[in-house]
Amino acid sequence: MDLPKTYFDIAPQKKSPFSFEGVSTTALMVLVFLLPLFFASTPLFSFQFSKSFLVSVGVIVSLAFFLLSVLKNGTTMFPYHPVIAALLGVLFTTFLSSLFSGAPFASLVGYGFEMGTFSFVTLLALLLILSVVIFRSKEKIFYTYLVFFASFFAVALFNLLRFIFGPDLLSFGVFTSIFSNTVGKWNELGVFFGIIVILSLVSLEMVRLTRVYHILLWVSLGLSLVFLTVINFSTIWVLLAAFALIFFVYILTATWSTSVAEGARQARVSWISLGLLIFSLVFVLGGRVIGDSITRALGLSTFEVRPSWSTTIDVAWQTFKQNPVFGSGPNRFATQWNLYKPESVNATNFWNTSFSYGVGVIPTSLVTGGVIGTAAWLAFIGLLLYTGFKALFSKEGDPFSKYLVTSSFLVSLYLWAIAIFYVPGITIFALTFFFSGLFLAALAEQNMFPIKTISFLDNPRISFLSILLIVFLLLGTVSYGYLVLRSGFASYYFQQGSVAFAQGNLDAAETALNRVLSIEGNDAYYRAMSEINLSRLQQIAARTDVPAESLRTDFQQTLGVAIENATRARDKDRTNPQNWVALGHVYQVLVSLGVEGAYESTQMAYTEAVKRSPHDPSLQLEFARLELAKGDNKKAKEFIAKALQQKQNYTEAVFLLSQIEVSEGNVNGAIDSVEKATLLAPNDPALYFQLGLLKYNKRDYKGAIGAFERAVTVNSQYANARYFLGLSYYQDRRINDAIAQFEVVRATNPNNEEVKLILSNLKAGKEPFANATPPVDNEPEKRDTLPVDEETVKAEE
């Protein structure tokens, strides 16, 4: 197989970068360069939202200028290929599933550019089609590779410096740990470096290089393998081993067939592929041992969690029983997860995690797309694979064109495999569509499928209709751009309000949420506003400096607004159990006021929530609190028992049960019962936590210390047990031990202001709750909720 002399055996780019088509091309190249690097250095924009926003802006700008170039030139191009037809089929089935979902808005648009919505899948499809049409020449694909490698070196340098000098370097207030990076999740960073490994391998084997480029590719390959060794994501090693084997055989067979045709009997061996295959197999076979040793040596410990294959298929099967054709609708896996998640999940730390995807992005379509959605995705990926493998063994095209086809296809194949076996974020999924577009563009450059040029200047009637259609498309593009900006502002104000609410600043939170709702109203925003309204009610009820009549008026008005917002949230999406819970919380305020019918309305709301999430123990706890508000402790205990039956180690249920026992004056009897239970279950930390709470309430601090110490011995991550152990140490005058416990709690709850206050006071020789302001008080054992977040060490979803 002949190789080109150099990378520069290609024609220079002729299009002006300042033409409409030039701007369209530049917009996509800038997107490719920025996508692995771009982030918002503010907590007011989530990481994934900033990535989605970048993709949206890049595609919209590129499409708008492409349409302007069409208007100017009077011609347009469209790729005619079964893969493109299958992609349009994916869009059509996604749209149909969205219309028939329980919440069309969530499926069509979502709450902030979620990857699974119809609108975002449409953007990615446009990215693929634009890539085919715009990058339809060797030089453009080549320049795109250069841009992507430049982005890689920036990402590699950023992470290398942080590894060497620590995570505080270049943190920008966003990258708070060594695992934080500009690409996405920790394993996503590995997927990104896997792309570079494949591109470097193919480039080194299929193109003759100048010395500088040869060195740079070896550096890229070496750096990527070093990072992959540190990340040690088993799925990547398996895929790289498979791709190394495929490429090794491909080079061998391609050069052997060429040598046979020339009368020789020699073939070229790809030693780089063979080396990569062996290197990958080492990690495939011994990845756990090697990974553990690297983790210990570098002090790294992270993991991701997502539903398994069996769980995903089980949820899909249950969904098929209800809606086999259209599924639950795009962006609706979490709804089905709430309905059909295995009860065994409640025994894990992820019992209250609402997963948005199954085991992989594509398998999730089994749930969200039903039969038609799954068939459309399988047809698209199947046709892409067929086209790719057919192109690999085609004899058409010069060596450099073969290199472009091979490299782009192998990268896109690798990325689609990732989408099947993993849940990548926006960066990787957008690159999946982009490299698929480059592959089809490389095929078009070899005339392996037609990109038809359509002229609408010859026929006046066709010209008028075509121009009218393009103008409508242009206006639609601009309108969508406006919607993107509007959603961006709404998300910004929502995060602003969330931060203010967490800090207890209700005025700022309410102002921000009012801005949000003036821009865009969805159930999440209305639900958040109802929570602010409830906090406002508590604030009004606690005031003593205002006449009773004025307080009553303010209370009634705020309560009416809370009911209205909670009702709107429910009506926006009746399938979301949290919307029913929010409505129940508002009705429960009326129960405490003795309003007739409020108890039944609250019961109804919680019952509807349970229908939509039957295995959620927190909903049984909502019923228990309702019964407490009514004054029925016996029924409250029954619901607590149901919650503990669903989740045996449910700390909040234990906390509430202890409060009931204390309020009934039955502390001694409760202590005897729990002590007997610990004999039957000596490794249940929740029982020891309950025992410690009871003894703490009885002011038996030494006894509480023994129980809490046992709880944290069994479960070292038990943050609330450490919190009360620290308070017990303080009461026993063991100040240094108390400080040590709260230091551990702060490490797992870095944003908890109460823990910071306690630590500061203890170190200054003061009482733990000195200078505390509401809602913090000096009796955390009597509060309605736990003092610290128990789910602090979270895996990335």
Side-chain angles (χ1 to χ4, degrees), residues 51 136 181 295 376 404 433 485 495 513 518 520 557 563 569 632-633 674 732 741 747 790:
K51 294 286 189 181
R136 58 187 185 277
N181 62 87
T295 297
L404 294 177
F433 280 80
L485 290 175
Q495 292 298 326
L513 262 294
S518 68
E520 187 174 286
Q557 289 178 347
I563 293 174
D632 193 337
N633 287 7
V674 176
D732 200 37
Q741 290 302 316
E790 201 59 60

Side-chain angles (χ1 to χ4, degrees), residues 585-740:
H585 285 167
V586 177
Y587 285 148
Q588 195 164 319
V589 174
L590 298 177
V591 174
S592 62
L593 297 175
V595 176
E596 186 177 353
Y599 173 78
E600 290 76 14
S601 296
T602 310
Q603 263 194 330
M604 178 275 297
Y606 291 156
T607 301
E608 292 295 329
V610 170
K611 288 179 182 178
R612 290 153 179 81
S613 188
H615 305 305
D616 186 351
S618 69
L619 297 181
Q620 300 301 326
L621 212 57
E622 295 292 354
F623 276 111
R625 293 192 177 106
L626 172 61
E627 297 301 334
L628 283 178
K630 190 185 175 187
D632 193 337
N633 287 7
K634 183 180 179 181
K635 278 193 174 181
K637 288 181 180 180
E638 291 175 1
F639 281 113
I640 290 175
K642 289 181 180 179
L644 289 172
Q645 187 177 5
Q646 289 185 326
K647 180 175 172 57
Q648 190 175 12
N649 59 345
Y650 191 14
T651 302
E652 268 196 272
V654 169
F655 186 65
L656 185 59
L657 181 60
S658 298
Q659 288 178 320
I660 295 174
E661 299 288 1
V662 171
S663 69
E664 292 180 341
N666 187 31
V667 178
N668 290 331
I671 288 175
D672 290 340
S673 297
V674 176
E675 283 180 336
K676 290 177 182 178
T678 58
L679 296 176
L680 297 174
N683 293 318
D684 187 345
L687 284 176
Y688 288 103
F689 177 70
Q690 183 181 9
L691 182 61
L693 279 176
L694 291 168
K695 292 188 175 184
Y696 186 88
N697 276 280
K698 194 182 175 185
R699 305 195 188 287
D700 177 8
Y701 298 117
K702 290 187 181 296
I705 288 171
F708 289 132
E709 283 181 339
R710 177 60 181 165
V712 300
T713 298
V714 177
N715 180 8
S716 62
Q717 300 294 332
Y718 209 150
N720 280 288
R722 288 191 180 276
Y723 175 96
F724 282 103
L725 177 58
L727 292 183
S728 301
Y729 279 145
Y730 171 77
Q731 296 293 346
D732 200 37
R733 317 317 300 166
R734 295 167 59 178
I735 308 301
N736 290 334
D737 290 335
I739 291 174

Side-chain angles (χ1 to χ4, degrees), residues 11 242 309 422 433 443 511 555 695:
W309 275 101
Y422 180 59
F433 280 80
L443 289 182
T511 299
F555 191 92
K695 292 188 175 184

Side-chain angles (χ1 to χ4, degrees), residues 299-366:
L300 301 174
S301 179
T302 187
F303 60 101
E304 293 183 29
V305 62
R306 63 187 187 277
S308 64
W309 275 101
S310 60
T311 304
T312 302
I313 292 172
D314 185 57
V315 173
W317 175 247
Q318 297 298 329
T319 303
F320 275 12
K321 291 180 181 179
Q322 302 298 321
N323 194 346
V325 179
F326 300 109
S328 64
N331 203 33
R332 305 291 290 162
F333 182 85
T335 301
Q336 303 307 105
W337 175 258
N338 289 332
L339 279 170
Y340 305 121
K341 72 176 182 180
E343 292 186 37
S344 59
V345 173
N346 284 335
T348 71
N349 288 335
F350 314 105
W351 65 275
N352 61 346
T353 301
S354 188
F355 292 99
S356 300
Y357 293 92
V359 67
V361 172
I362 303 304
T364 300
S365 65
L366 289 168

